[in-house]
Amino acid sequence: TIVTVLGQADEPGIATDIAIHSHGLPSEFSEPVLNQAEAFGAEIDQSVASQRKDLRDLGLMTIDGPDARDFDDAVYAQPLEGGGFRVLVCIADVAEYVSTHSALDVEAQERGTSVYFPDRVVPMLPETLSNGLCSLVPDEDRLCLTCDMRLDEKGKVVSSRFYEAVMRSKARLTYDQVRRILEENDEALRGRFAHVVETLGTLMEVYKILAARRVRRGALDFDSQQVYFEFAADGHVCGIRRQARHDAHRLIEELMIAANVEAARFVDRQRLPMLFRVHEPPQEQKLEALETFLKSEGIKMRWKDVPDPAQFAALQKQVAGSPMEHLINAVLLRSLSLAVYSPNNVGHFGLALSHYAHFTSPIRRYPDLLLHRAIKHLCRKKSSAQFPISHEQMVELGRRCSWTERRAEEASRDVDERLKCQFMQRHLGDSFAGVITGVTGFGVFVDLLEMGVSGLVHITSLPEDYYDFDPDSHQLTGKRTKQTFRLASRITVKVAGVSVADRKIDFEWVADET
């Protein structure tokens, strides 16, 4: 039981087992669900493929992380005569297999999303589909739903269309391989992937004009880093490191955003019920706190009742590369609302887009699967009256999908924090460089620079003094020494204590000898 489990908190895999149990994540598929998935077999139905647009000769490829197991999306680009580009984003046609109200559909709706942990995945769909028939693996025929776009020289989508197709991925690349091919001219990799190198170059051209367009429209850019856990042969964490994003990650991100926008517009034009991915402007209370902070820093921002995303982006650009950059970005990020799923479109503040939806990951997200059904409905020329989901039902689905997303995020965060605690237990007394990520009346929260491990320096572990807390400027100031500890400041700390069960790490301040 859970009491026994907690007594073995350092055992390999226990962190994930605890999270699955405590967050009530469905982790086992019923026999009817497994049987339905397995009944489709390991290969696509060629009679279905023969009725679709054939893209098997195109140089489509997947670009993902090195440990990815399911491949939702494949991409392709070619320059057009007279300028501009044709760009294809092909997404696994999960809706062909997971029909409304089927056992697979009920289970997928219950889960809402796949949940990714460092040591395993709790998938939304059985592996025979998620890692097999629906995964766009190389050199295998796969059914897909395609967003076929024409872009002008400035990255504007001048036309787009959606259709059901059959494809055959020509290569499975990792982000680092793309970087080494395009930025480092790695001869071995360029030889190995010679058949797609030219297309990769075109894709990077497209990315650069899309990135420039993103800047022009005023989208925000918080370049977060993921934490990667390294496991020893016995299953224990032996290392933690940050993974920086580079242009290969951003290339795929921009292509997915473009396809998501076109999908949202396509379905919205036909007035079918759908789930938008909406991100509202900052709430009044958070906006007031932001304005107070900026004023305390001598920064004047002119906006009326609601700021424009471009004003936030301009502020980011203004402080880029300065000592204030981390501080301003941290405060801006805290002022933002949470993105949710809703059939009522209010736009996406962070991306500075009027229409946005999730189309590109139907293997792992239920909202994407719902959008695929709407697109397939339209591709097959069916009337709006025949669509099986009403606006009212979509409202409830939006609430549920937003909730299952939060549940997955919380479960993943719990596992990450527990694994970090297990690892830091072996570093008691060691000192690390960090950055202050939170300031309260009882101390400061610190994020270790190299590993993304967070902990608290209690106010009693700061230099001996009485401290004044200023919530507006996010800082503590010593009354006697005038020493300040503020958001985004660099600091050296020592690991003083770790509680795996509570997922808490205590740091002590270390005087900076420099």
Side-chain angles (χ1 to χ4, degrees):
T1 67
I2 195 67
V3 175
T4 307
V5 168
L6 288 175
Q8 303 168 338
D10 196 29
E11 288 297 311
I14 275 302
T16 301
D17 291 337
I18 292 172
I20 289 171
H21 177 92
S22 61
H23 291 276
L25 296 176
S27 59
E28 300 291 335
F29 289 106
S30 67
E31 193 171 338
V33 170
L34 291 173
N35 290 341
Q36 191 173 79
E38 289 167 3
F40 293 112
E43 297 181 355
I44 68 168
D45 186 334
Q46 291 297 336
S47 66
V48 172
S50 66
Q51 300 173 38
R52 294 175 168 230
K53 188 171 181 64
D54 195 336
L55 303 177
R56 284 176 285 198
D57 289 337
L58 284 184
L60 286 153
M61 69 193 83
T62 61
I63 304 174
D64 295 274
D67 52 358
R69 296 168 62 194
D70 49 23
F71 308 109
D72 287 289
D73 53 272
V75 293
Y76 171 79
Q78 67 183 72
L80 296 173
E81 288 186 18
F85 301 88
R86 180 192 183 196
V87 178
L88 268 64
V89 175
C90 295
I91 308 299
D93 191 355
V94 178
E96 185 68 22
Y97 305 101
V98 185
S99 55
T100 305
H101 304 314
S102 65
L104 280 166
D105 181 48
V106 172
E107 184 70 21
Q109 190 179 131
E110 171 69 20
R111 295 179 180 228
T113 179
S114 296
V115 189
Y116 292 85
F117 298 111
D119 61 338
R120 78 189 86 154
V121 178
V122 178
M124 185 177 78
L125 298 169
E127 289 191 10
T128 49
L129 289 180
S130 59
N131 295 352
L133 196 56
C134 290
S135 187
L136 306 181
V137 293
D139 304 318
E140 294 286 345
D141 289 354
R142 289 290 183 260
L143 303 181
C144 63
L145 198 54
T146 298
C147 177
D148 192 334
M149 297 174 279
R150 298 294 192 280
L151 279 61
D152 65 16
E153 295 93 332
K154 294 185 178 180
K156 180 181 179 182
V157 179
V158 293
S159 68
S160 66
R161 59 193 179 114
F162 288 83
Y163 50 79
E164 296 170 292
V166 57
M167 61 159 287
R168 191 178 181 91
S169 174
K170 296 297 189 290
R172 179 269 197 269
L173 288 145
T174 67
Y175 297 118
D176 283 341
Q177 285 173 334
V178 172
R179 179 182 56 80
R180 286 158 57 193
I181 288 170
L182 296 179
E183 296 179 18
E184 300 175 9
N185 286 314
D186 186 301
E187 289 187 12
L189 282 175
R190 290 181 74 88
R192 177 181 168 189
F193 294 106
H195 58 299
V196 295
V197 166
E198 184 178 350
T199 301
L200 268 180
T202 304
L203 284 166
M204 187 56 72
E205 281 186 69
V206 171
Y207 156 67
K208 288 178 179 177
I209 63 172
L210 286 176
R213 189 171 183 83
R214 176 189 181 117
V215 171
R216 288 196 299 273
R217 75 171 186 265
L220 305 184
D221 187 11
F222 297 101
D223 205 358
S224 60
Q225 294 181 329
Q226 290 187 325
V227 172
Y228 180 77
F229 293 91
E230 297 172 342
F231 291 91
D234 65 359
H236 287 95
V237 177
C238 61
I240 304 174
R241 57 183 169 84
R242 291 183 183 271
Q243 280 189 316
R245 291 167 67 252
H246 47 72
D247 279 353
H249 295 84
R250 299 185 189 102
L251 181 161
I252 292 300
E253 180 180 302
E254 287 301 321
L255 293 179
M256 297 305 111
I257 289 173
N260 285 339
V261 169
E262 294 309 305
R265 287 177 172 165
F266 176 60
V267 176
D268 191 42
R269 279 196 303 267
Q270 305 302 320
R271 302 196 178 281
L272 279 190
M274 62 174 289
L275 288 182
F276 293 93
R277 180 65 168 176
V278 299
H279 185 222
E280 296 194 51
Q283 296 176 354
E284 184 178 353
Q285 185 177 0
K286 288 188 175 181
L287 201 55
E288 287 175 358
L290 173 62
E291 290 169 343
T292 301
F293 166 75
L294 293 175
K295 187 177 180 181
S296 73
E297 296 296 324
I299 299 173
K300 294 182 179 179
M301 294 301 295
R302 295 181 177 86
W303 54 61
K304 295 182 180 179
D305 295 334
V306 179
D308 187 275
Q311 292 175 302
F312 275 28
L315 180 55
Q316 286 186 308
K317 185 177 181 181
Q318 180 182 330
V319 299
S322 76
M324 293 285 289
E325 180 178 9
H326 293 295
L327 176 59
I328 295 298
N329 277 331
V331 177
L332 283 178
L333 189 59
R334 291 179 184 204
S335 74
L336 298 178
S337 303
L338 287 174
V340 297
Y341 296 105
S342 172
N344 302 312
N345 185 25
V346 296
H348 197 292
F349 181 85
L351 293 174
L353 292 167
S354 62
H355 288 71
Y356 195 65
H358 276 166
F359 161 71
T360 55
S361 295
I363 289 176
R364 63 183 180 90
R365 289 189 307 225
Y366 195 73
D368 304 54
L369 177 56
L370 287 172
L371 187 56
H372 274 232
R373 286 178 180 152
I375 292 171
K376 286 167 71 71
H377 188 88
L378 295 171
C379 287
R380 295 176 180 185
K381 310 294 185 185
K382 294 183 178 180
S383 70
S384 300
Q386 292 175 290
F387 194 62
I389 304 174
S390 67
H391 178 87
E392 291 71 23
Q393 289 172 315
M394 204 65 83
V395 169
E396 185 54 40
L397 285 168
R399 290 197 192 100
R400 174 156 189 87
C401 289
S402 298
W403 176 77
T404 54
E405 178 186 43
R406 302 287 172 248
R407 178 179 67 175
E409 289 173 351
E410 290 169 7
S412 295
R413 191 181 305 115
D414 280 359
V415 172
D416 286 358
E417 296 307 315
R418 192 176 293 274
L419 291 177
K420 289 174 184 177
C421 287
Q422 290 177 10
F423 181 73
M424 295 309 292
Q425 276 185 320
R426 303 197 287 276
H427 289 277
L428 287 169
D430 292 347
S431 296
F432 299 91
V435 62
I436 295 175
T437 56
V439 182
T440 70
F442 55 83
V444 296
F445 290 94
V446 175
D447 195 0
L448 303 188
L449 293 174
E450 293 183 3
M451 298 182 290
V453 171
S454 298
L456 173 69
V457 181
H458 194 269
I459 200 165
T460 56
S461 295
L462 294 174
E464 189 173 343
D465 204 342
Y466 290 100
Y467 287 88
D468 288 326
F469 170 54
D470 185 346
D472 294 334
S473 60
H474 299 268
Q475 70 179 30
L476 288 170
T477 304
K479 289 187 176 182
R480 177 175 53 83
T481 63
K482 302 303 180 186
Q483 184 161 4
T484 62
F485 295 88
R486 67 180 316 199
L487 201 65
S489 295
R490 298 295 177 96
I491 185 174
T492 303
V493 295
K494 179 173 68 175
V495 183
V498 177
S499 172
V500 176
D502 295 329
R503 300 184 297 286
K504 290 182 180 178
I505 299 172
D506 291 320
F507 293 139
E508 288 181 359
W509 173 79
V510 175
D512 188 347
E513 296 179 358
T514 61

